[in-house]
Amino acid sequence: YYLFCQNGNIIPEMNDPISTEIKERRKQLGITQHDLAELSGTSEKTVRDLEKGNANPRLQTLIAVLAVLGLVFLLSNILKDD
């Protein structure tokens, strides 16, 4: 389970796969994959793979990409009472 936050606020409508959210947010900001890669300190191939859902990035890489997009990734484990 994951949540996206922007400016400290949870964005409830952002519940698609991470790959979709990264691509859509990048396009909203009007930046290219090349720009996102350069600004986040990763490769353009990594950005392409992230947007296709074909990447298994290090947490540092994911955080860097999301930071450029103005997003924060919160990971939560929802425990069920048995």
Side-chain angles (χ1 to χ4, degrees):
Y1 182 72
Y2 62 88
L3 299 170
F4 285 99
C5 296
Q6 186 175 24
N7 298 326
N9 299 311
I10 293 174
I11 308 170
E13 63 273 10
M14 293 181 73
N15 57 11
D16 289 334
I18 293 172
S19 56
T20 302
E21 299 301 347
I22 289 171
K23 184 175 185 176
E24 288 180 6
R25 181 67 176 152
R26 177 183 60 76
K27 288 183 174 188
Q28 285 175 353
L29 295 173
I31 61 175
T32 66
Q33 289 178 334
H34 176 80
D35 294 336
L36 180 55
E38 192 170 284
L39 292 167
S40 63
T42 192
S43 70
E44 195 170 339
K45 180 185 181 323
T46 297
V47 171
R48 278 195 309 271
D49 288 346
L50 279 170
E51 290 186 357
K52 289 180 184 177
N54 295 333
N56 187 14
R58 294 179 319 185
L59 187 55
Q60 278 179 272
T61 301
L62 183 58
I63 290 169
V65 168
L66 294 177
V68 170
L69 299 174
L71 299 171
V72 175
F73 180 74
L74 300 175
L75 185 62
S76 176
N77 183 11
I78 298 179
L79 301 175
K80 295 180 182 180
D81 292 333
D82 289 331

